[in-house]
């Protein structure tokens, strides 16, 4: 069986099934947004998809004792595809014209591909059919296909499938944001379940660099001084090359290859991605798109170096059609061939890097793929027919710069071969050591030095008079003591030093960004104040439990500071994206990010923040904390989808509302509490109870927050009833319309009229005012407050289980339960 067929069946098919499975989990009303997310740029990016390359590299780097790929390899391939599609959606304005030119629904391509495996005849276009069938056998087919990119328009190929419905720009942005966030979230959770911290760190860094790079691209619009070197440096982190590099590196990391070879394979993926990107740039649609957007691509840069008239035209921003057509002609004339020569060079460099791999069918398939797409086979062998004029133009006498490059490639090839030999020697040495160890009868188990085992801690594991006294008092309904003052400033005063450290790190995040816009956005969002409740919970839990861990207290504190910072970054990132989805103009009486900087900067800044927070979490090197936080990020996506799918739905139950509130708010508070306990070094039972505390505190906080929509007024910087007017039915509304049997609340007397007003989406001029009157008259706010108090009491009960000794931090955590339901903002 040819190697790529072995990858396609069943592994690549399983990747497609994974993506379909994700789409099927989305509520039907919003499934269209995910179907839009599962789009690809065309046949090239599908055939050279990150998934296929990742699977080939995975097979090529398997240990000698392994012969087949496992689920973890398919998971990596799926994750990288999801991340790439999500990134495309979040950078939609830049890719929009390209997607229109050769975009097809991912599902249609997948269906066509699966069908083609059984019956090759439905695909009529010869070159595309040959590419599908011939990758394993004939490099000429890939060469032909690479050259066809210069002229073929994939719009002419019909593969079936539905065309996405057109929407207004604002709605399209929301759909793209929602779909991209869902894909990011799913990928985040999938990565957390993989046993590869190196992969998780790499993915986090990739997304952060991509978001930053996309904003840098926007800052370079119409920059006529951009060099080819600068262009490639940005494309490497902010284009498809970033995801090819991540896919090949992660495949290597999962197989635990040496760092040298993993680095070489990551660079191979980047080079391959740059080839794909440049081939798209050199197509007519690519050059047209770049000129329309003012994006100075490689063909334009090369043409500018050779044509002064083009520089004069571009300095006018091509305001009339004649100038545009002349500029396009000049870019084709002076920029096309140098770009193809650059493709050749990058392809040659990519093949040299593959010398780090042992000989295998998979390696040969990768070499064939690169040689074909980068048109190297014809360049190497000189097999140029008279009719292939484009190829003939490419065969020129090498200039001095090319000879220097050839020498560099030759040196790179030798270095990669040495890495392969060294890796093979290391494997042989490990194998010999194992055989000798077995012959000597050595024990397999090696004791880990410096691994001090702590005595189990928790109720019932050792006699403690304080615990006994506390249990007796609890039996007498003695509650956790509350502080005298319940204002937030007083409650958090005992961790003010830690809060200041967190704030300093948040503002210092600007140093991790290169984009000027991103730096300004970070400064704006973190200097605007806020409660900083989530980092405070991390610090308070650690302070309360601090005495339990003894000598390791300082090390644990440093980790908790990092945790607290990352938790606040995640919360802030979610607010940035939520404000776009909610069309919010203000937050905390200040303009929202998308109002100040525009939706593109806001979306990409949110992505950068999510990714940077994930990187901080990985730096803690604690798999339990990674899983906790990754699951929260996935739950954010489900919470937003659940809310969107239930707008103006009068049948929504209190249970569904509380579940959505957990996904949107309580999950992060619960994870913050538990993660802090984990890093502090407490046993799982204590961590469970603290998760329960955060769970109920988060629900109480969200219910109280929803009550403020009816009572907060101008203090919140938004009109009364805004959530209701947008169809988001919260506790005061639900308890009026439907009541709740568990709480002993029947529907109110005005429930029928309120239901009618909601179902017609407040179409009448006074409908919203009348709905607010009914809720006020029927006691909806009072009912919701009772529910919030109930959740706060549950949080207090949980708190009383984990900290027998009274302390300032323990009182503060107790006070937060009451503050959460009594606050006015």
């Amino acid at each position: 069986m040819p190697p790529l067929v072995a990858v396609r069946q069943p592994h690549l098919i399983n990747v497609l099934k994974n993506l379909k499975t994700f789409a099927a989990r989305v509520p039907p009303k919003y499934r269209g947004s995910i179907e839009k997310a599962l789009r690809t740029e065309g046949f090239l990016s599908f055939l050279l998809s990150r998934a296929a390359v990742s699977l080939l590299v995975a097979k090529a780097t398997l240990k000698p004792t392994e012969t087949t790929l496992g689920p973890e390899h398919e998971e990596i391939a799926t994750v990288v595809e999801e991340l790439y599609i999500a990134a495309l959606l979040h950078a939609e304005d830049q890719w929009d014209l390209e997607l229109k030119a050769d975009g097809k629904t991912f599902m249609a391509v997948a269906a066509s591909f699966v069908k083609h495996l059984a019956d090759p005849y439905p695909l009529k276009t010869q070159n595309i059919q040959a590419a599908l069938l011939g990758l394993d056998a004939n490099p000429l087919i890939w060469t032909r296909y690479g050259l066809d990119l210069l002229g073929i328009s994939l719009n002419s190929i019909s593969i079936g499938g539905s065309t996405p419905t057109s929407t207004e720009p604002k709605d399209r942005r929301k759909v793209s944001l929602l779909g991209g966030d869902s894909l990011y979230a799913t990928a985040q959770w999938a990565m957390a379940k993989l046993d590869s911290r190196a992969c998780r760190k790499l993915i986090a860094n990739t997304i952060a660099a991509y978001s930053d790079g996309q904003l840098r691209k926007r800052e370079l619009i119409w920059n006529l001084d951009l060099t080819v070197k600068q262009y490639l440096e940005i494309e490497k982190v902010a284009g498809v090359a970033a995801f090819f590099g991540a896919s090949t590196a992660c495949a290597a990391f999962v197989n635990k290859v040496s760092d040298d070879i993993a680095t070489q394979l990551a660079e191979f993926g980047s080079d391959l991605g740059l080839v794909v990107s440049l081939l798209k740039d050199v197509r007519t649609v690519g050059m047209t798109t770049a000129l329309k957007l003012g994006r100075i691509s490689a063909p334009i840069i090369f043409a500018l170096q050779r044509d002064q008239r083009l520089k004069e035209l571009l300095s006018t921003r091509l305001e009339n059609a004649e100038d545009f057509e002349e500029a396009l002609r000049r870019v084709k004339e002076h920029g096309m061939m140098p770009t193809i020569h650059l493709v050749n060079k990058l392809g040659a460099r990519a093949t040299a890097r593959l010398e780090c791999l042992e000989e295998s069918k998979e390696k040969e398939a990768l070499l064939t793929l690169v040689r074909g797409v980068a048109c190297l086979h014809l360049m190497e062998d000189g097999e140029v027919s008279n009719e292939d004029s484009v190829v003939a133009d490419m065969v020129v006498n090498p200039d001095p710069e090319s000879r220097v490059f050839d020498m560099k490639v030759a040196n790179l090839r030798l270095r990669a071969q040495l890495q392969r030999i060294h890796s093979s020697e290391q494997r042989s040495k490990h194998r010999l050591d194992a055989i000798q160890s077995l012959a000597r009868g050595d024990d397999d188990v090696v004791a880990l030095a410096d691994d001090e085992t702590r005595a189990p801690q928790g109720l019932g594991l050792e006699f403690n008079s304080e615990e006994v006294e506390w249990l007796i008092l609890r039996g007498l309904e003695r509650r956790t003591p509350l502080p005298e003052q319940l204002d937030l400033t007083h409650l958090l005063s005992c961790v003010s030093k830690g809060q200041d450290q967190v704030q300093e790190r948040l503002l210092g995040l600007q140093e991790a960004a290169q984009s000027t816009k991103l730096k300004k956005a970070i400064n704006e969002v973190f200097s605007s104040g806020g409660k900083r409740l989530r980092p405070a919970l991390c610090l308070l839990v650690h302070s309360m439990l601090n005495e339990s861990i003894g000598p390791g207290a300082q090390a644990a504190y440093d980790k908790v500071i990092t945790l607290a910072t990352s938790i606040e970054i995640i919360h802030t990132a979610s607010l940035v994206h939520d404000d776009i989805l909610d069309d919010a103009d203000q937050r905390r009486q200040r303009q929202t990010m998308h109002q100040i900087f525009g939706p593109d900067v806001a979306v990409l800044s949110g992505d950068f923040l999510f990714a940077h927070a994930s990187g901080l979490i990985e730096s803690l090197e604690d798999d339990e904390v990674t899983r906790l936080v990754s699951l929260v990020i996935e739950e954010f996506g489900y919470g937003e989808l659940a809310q969107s799918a239930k707008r103006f739905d009068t049948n929504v139950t209190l249970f569904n509302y509380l579940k959505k509130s957990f996904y949107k708010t309580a999950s992060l508070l619960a994870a913050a509490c538990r993660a802090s306990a984990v890093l502090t070094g407490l046993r799982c039972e204590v961590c469970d109870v603290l998760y329960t505390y955060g769970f109920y505190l988060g629900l109480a906080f969200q219910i109280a927050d929803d009550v403020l929509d009816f009572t907060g007024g101008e203090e919140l910087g938004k009109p009364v009833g805004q959530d209701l007017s947008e169809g988001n039915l919260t506790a005061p509304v639900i308890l009026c319309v439907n009541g709740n049997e568990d709480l002993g609340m029947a529907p109110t007397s005005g429930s029928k009229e309120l239901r009618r007003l909601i179902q017609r989406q407040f179409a009448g001029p006074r409908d919203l005012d009348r709905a607010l009157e009914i809720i006020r008259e029927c006691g909806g706010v009072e009912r919701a407050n009772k529910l919030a108090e109930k959740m706060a009491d549950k949080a207090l009960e949980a708190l009383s289980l984990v900290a027998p000794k009274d302390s300032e931090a323990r009182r503060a955590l107790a006070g937060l339960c009451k503050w959460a339901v009594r606050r006015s903002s």
Side-chain angles (χ1 to χ4, degrees):
M1 180 183 291
L4 216 69
V5 174
V7 170
R8 286 200 296 254
Q9 296 178 311
H11 304 296
L12 191 56
I13 304 302
N14 288 342
V15 172
L16 303 181
K17 288 178 180 177
N18 290 344
L19 292 170
K20 287 182 181 180
T21 299
F22 167 71
R25 295 205 307 264
V26 177
K29 182 178 178 181
Y30 281 83
R31 198 164 293 154
S33 68
I34 306 305
E35 287 174 354
K36 180 180 179 182
L38 297 179
R39 293 174 65 184
T40 184
E41 299 157 272
F43 273 97
L44 177 68
S45 63
F46 178 66
L47 294 172
L48 292 187
S49 68
R50 283 77 21 209
V53 173
S54 176
L55 292 167
L56 277 173
V57 170
K59 288 207 77 173
T61 54
L62 284 173
K63 295 177 182 177
T65 55
E66 299 173 350
T67 57
T68 59
L69 297 180
E72 67 276 11
H73 299 105
E74 295 173 359
E75 197 72 60
I76 282 289
T78 304
V79 162
V80 177
E81 286 294 347
E82 288 183 343
L83 291 172
Y84 176 63
I85 299 168
L88 280 183
L89 288 171
H90 281 191
E92 184 178 16
D93 72 316
Q94 183 168 330
W95 293 90
D96 194 37
L97 291 174
E98 187 171 354
L99 287 170
K100 286 179 181 176
D102 54 29
K104 303 294 179 181
T105 63
F106 193 89
M107 293 304 179
V109 175
S112 177
F113 182 66
V114 174
K115 187 176 181 181
H116 181 74
L117 291 175
D119 179 7
Y121 297 105
L123 291 174
K124 301 299 183 184
T125 304
Q126 286 185 344
N127 292 321
I128 303 301
Q129 185 178 13
L132 278 168
L133 290 173
L135 175 58
D136 302 311
N138 191 350
L140 284 174
I141 291 173
W142 274 104
T143 299
R144 183 69 258 172
Y145 188 57
L147 293 177
D148 284 340
L149 286 175
L150 308 180
I152 281 183
S153 169
L154 296 179
N155 279 333
S156 62
I157 301 170
S158 175
I159 60 171
S162 58
T163 302
T165 306
S166 60
T167 56
E168 293 297 320
K170 183 186 290 186
D171 294 333
R172 188 182 66 200
R173 165 56 73 195
K174 289 184 180 181
V175 167
S176 297
L177 177 57
L178 194 60
D181 278 356
S182 300
L183 285 164
Y184 272 139
T186 304
Q188 175 87 15
W189 176 233
M191 290 299 294
K193 294 185 290 184
L194 282 174
D195 183 23
S196 177
R197 187 170 293 134
C199 284
R200 297 197 295 263
K201 288 181 177 180
L202 176 65
I203 290 296
N205 291 337
T206 298
I207 299 303
Y210 179 86
S211 304
D212 189 6
Q214 280 289 321
L215 291 173
R216 286 168 60 204
K217 275 187 175 183
R218 285 154 173 74
E219 293 166 5
L220 294 171
I221 295 297
W222 295 111
N223 185 333
L224 305 186
D225 297 321
L226 192 66
T227 66
V228 173
K229 182 179 179 182
Q230 290 170 329
Y231 176 74
L232 292 179
E233 286 174 350
I234 295 174
E235 279 297 306
K236 186 175 179 179
V237 298
V240 65
F243 297 93
F244 271 105
S247 70
T248 51
C250 284
F253 281 141
V254 167
N255 287 338
K256 296 181 171 58
V257 302
S258 69
D259 290 344
D260 286 343
I261 291 181
T263 301
Q264 201 71 268
L265 289 170
E267 293 297 327
F268 159 76
S270 294
D271 283 345
L272 179 58
L274 288 173
V275 166
V276 173
S277 182
L278 288 169
L279 283 172
K280 296 177 80 64
D281 281 346
V282 86
R283 292 179 62 200
T284 298
V285 66
M287 290 183 278
T288 303
T289 300
L291 289 173
K292 285 181 177 179
L293 298 176
R295 185 170 68 89
I296 308 303
S297 60
I300 298 174
I301 296 172
F302 281 123
L304 283 169
Q305 293 171 355
R306 293 160 173 77
D307 188 342
Q308 182 60 36
R309 171 60 180 159
L310 178 61
K311 194 163 190 176
E312 294 171 2
L313 288 168
L314 295 184
S315 64
T316 68
R317 305 288 178 94
L318 305 177
E319 294 176 353
N320 61 66
E322 292 80 7
D323 286 352
F324 186 89
E325 291 302 322
E326 182 182 354
L328 180 59
R329 178 177 58 78
R330 289 177 178 275
V331 172
K332 286 183 177 181
E333 182 179 350
H334 298 289
M336 183 173 172
M337 294 315 301
T339 305
I340 295 176
H341 289 311
L342 180 58
V343 166
N344 300 153
K345 290 181 177 181
L346 291 170
R349 192 168 72 182
T351 59
R353 295 188 189 284
L354 285 176
E355 289 305 311
C356 70
L357 296 175
E358 299 287 345
E359 297 303 320
S360 66
K361 292 181 179 179
E362 289 74 30
K363 175 183 175 180
E364 191 58 38
L366 288 166
L367 286 168
T368 299
L369 185 153
V370 179
R371 287 171 181 156
V373 174
C375 307
L376 291 179
H377 187 79
L378 294 185
M379 296 296 294
E380 292 168 353
D381 298 343
E383 300 175 11
V384 184
S385 63
N386 292 332
E387 60 188 27
D388 286 329
S389 59
V390 176
V391 177
D393 288 340
M394 291 164 54
V395 182
V396 295
N397 294 323
D399 54 32
E401 183 182 341
S402 295
R403 286 196 292 270
V404 172
F405 179 82
D406 290 342
M407 290 179 61
K408 289 182 178 179
V409 170
N411 288 333
L412 176 60
R413 189 182 303 275
L414 287 173
R415 188 162 65 249
Q417 289 171 348
L418 287 173
Q419 289 169 344
R420 179 183 69 199
I421 293 169
H422 179 70
S423 176
S424 179
E425 288 176 346
Q426 288 294 108
R427 283 200 306 271
S428 298
K429 183 178 182 300
H430 290 325
R431 183 172 175 79
L432 180 61
D433 289 345
I435 293 172
Q436 291 176 342
S437 177
L438 185 63
R440 290 194 302 267
D442 296 343
D443 293 334
D444 290 333
V445 180
V446 179
L448 294 177
D450 302 324
D451 184 18
E452 298 179 3
T453 304
R454 287 193 303 270
Q457 297 173 348
L459 294 175
L461 293 174
E462 59 182 3
F463 179 80
N464 185 305
S465 59
E466 288 185 353
E467 288 183 357
V468 172
E469 292 169 5
W470 167 67
L471 285 168
I472 292 171
L473 292 174
R474 176 162 170 74
L476 297 174
E477 296 298 321
R478 179 72 62 87
R479 295 273 179 154
T480 302
L482 293 170
E484 295 179 3
Q485 299 181 46
L486 292 178
D487 65 281
L488 193 61
T489 302
H490 178 77
L491 289 173
L492 305 186
S493 60
C494 61
V495 290
S496 59
K497 179 182 176 182
Q499 289 279 71
D500 290 342
Q501 290 176 287
V502 170
Q503 180 64 14
E504 184 179 343
R505 292 195 184 191
L506 292 173
L507 292 174
L509 190 56
Q510 299 170 75
E511 301 304 316
Q514 296 187 49
S515 162
T516 303
K517 289 182 179 179
L518 182 55
K519 288 178 182 289
K520 290 180 179 178
I522 291 170
N523 183 68
E524 173 68 27
V525 76
F526 289 123
S527 63
S528 60
K531 301 178 181 68
R532 301 287 188 261
L533 174 62
R534 290 148 191 87
L537 283 174
C538 297
L539 297 166
L540 287 170
V541 166
H542 171 73
S543 179
M544 179 181 69
L545 303 175
N546 191 11
E547 296 178 5
S548 304
I549 64 170
Q554 184 57 47
Y557 177 77
D558 293 340
K559 287 188 174 184
V560 170
I561 289 291
T562 299
L563 170 71
T565 304
S566 62
I567 291 289
E568 184 63 17
I569 293 173
I570 290 170
H571 170 61
T572 303
S574 71
L575 295 183
V576 170
H577 282 187
D578 284 351
D579 286 339
I580 299 172
L581 294 170
D582 297 339
D583 290 324
D585 296 333
Q586 289 189 329
R587 180 172 291 277
R588 305 187 191 107
Q589 299 182 333
R590 294 179 62 156
Q591 277 190 302
T592 50
M593 284 266 283
H594 68 276
Q595 287 293 323
I596 299 172
F597 300 103
D600 295 335
V601 175
V603 169
L604 291 168
S605 296
D607 291 348
F608 174 86
L609 293 174
F610 272 124
H612 194 82
S614 298
L616 287 177
I617 291 295
E618 284 302 331
S619 72
L620 297 173
E621 299 188 347
D622 190 295
D623 290 344
E624 183 175 346
V625 172
T626 295
R627 289 175 68 94
L628 270 170
V629 177
S630 296
L631 184 57
V632 169
I633 293 176
E634 188 186 33
E635 286 163 347
F636 278 163
Y638 286 131
E640 195 59 52
L641 286 168
Q643 176 171 294
S644 300
K646 295 292 183 180
R647 293 186 193 276
F648 299 105
D649 184 355
T650 54
N651 293 319
V652 63
T653 64
L654 185 66
F655 176 82
N656 288 333
Y657 160 77
L658 291 174
K659 195 172 181 180
K660 181 266 296 180
S661 297
F662 166 71
Y663 287 145
K664 282 196 68 178
T665 302
S667 60
L668 187 57
L669 271 67
C673 293
R674 179 177 184 125
S676 183
V678 170
L679 294 176
T680 305
L682 271 294
R683 296 179 66 251
C684 62
E685 290 84 354
V686 175
C687 299
D688 286 342
V689 176
L690 281 166
Y691 184 87
T692 304
Y693 165 83
F695 177 96
Y696 288 120
L697 176 65
L699 289 182
F701 184 92
Q702 184 58 53
I703 296 165
D705 201 59
D706 292 335
V707 167
L708 291 174
D709 185 51
F710 298 91
T711 62
E714 295 182 357
E715 292 182 13
L716 296 180
K718 65 177 185 177
V720 172
Q722 180 173 310
D723 289 345
L724 179 59
S725 68
E726 294 171 353
N728 295 324
L729 307 191
T730 55
V733 182
I734 294 169
L735 291 174
C736 278
V737 173
N738 299 320
N740 182 263
E741 185 177 346
D742 292 334
L743 297 176
M745 296 179 184
T748 62
S749 57
S751 62
K752 291 183 179 179
E753 182 183 359
L754 182 56
R755 185 185 292 270
R756 284 196 302 271
L757 293 171
I758 295 170
Q759 287 174 342
R760 69 189 190 199
Q761 300 186 16
F762 311 115
R766 288 201 70 259
D767 280 6
L768 181 60
D769 291 337
R770 176 56 187 153
L772 293 171
E773 287 177 8
I774 294 171
I775 293 167
R776 185 165 53 251
E777 292 168 358
C778 295
V781 168
E782 289 76 11
R783 288 184 169 203
N785 279 331
K786 285 185 179 179
L787 178 62
E789 291 280 0
K790 186 176 183 66
M791 295 301 161
D793 286 342
K794 290 287 185 184
L796 275 172
E797 289 177 14
L799 185 62
S800 67
L801 287 169
V802 293
K805 187 175 181 180
D806 191 20
S807 68
E808 199 172 0
R810 181 172 180 250
R811 286 176 179 263
L813 288 166
L816 284 174
C817 298
K818 296 300 181 182
W819 165 84
V821 297
R822 296 178 187 178
R823 61 199 172 89
S824 59
S825 64

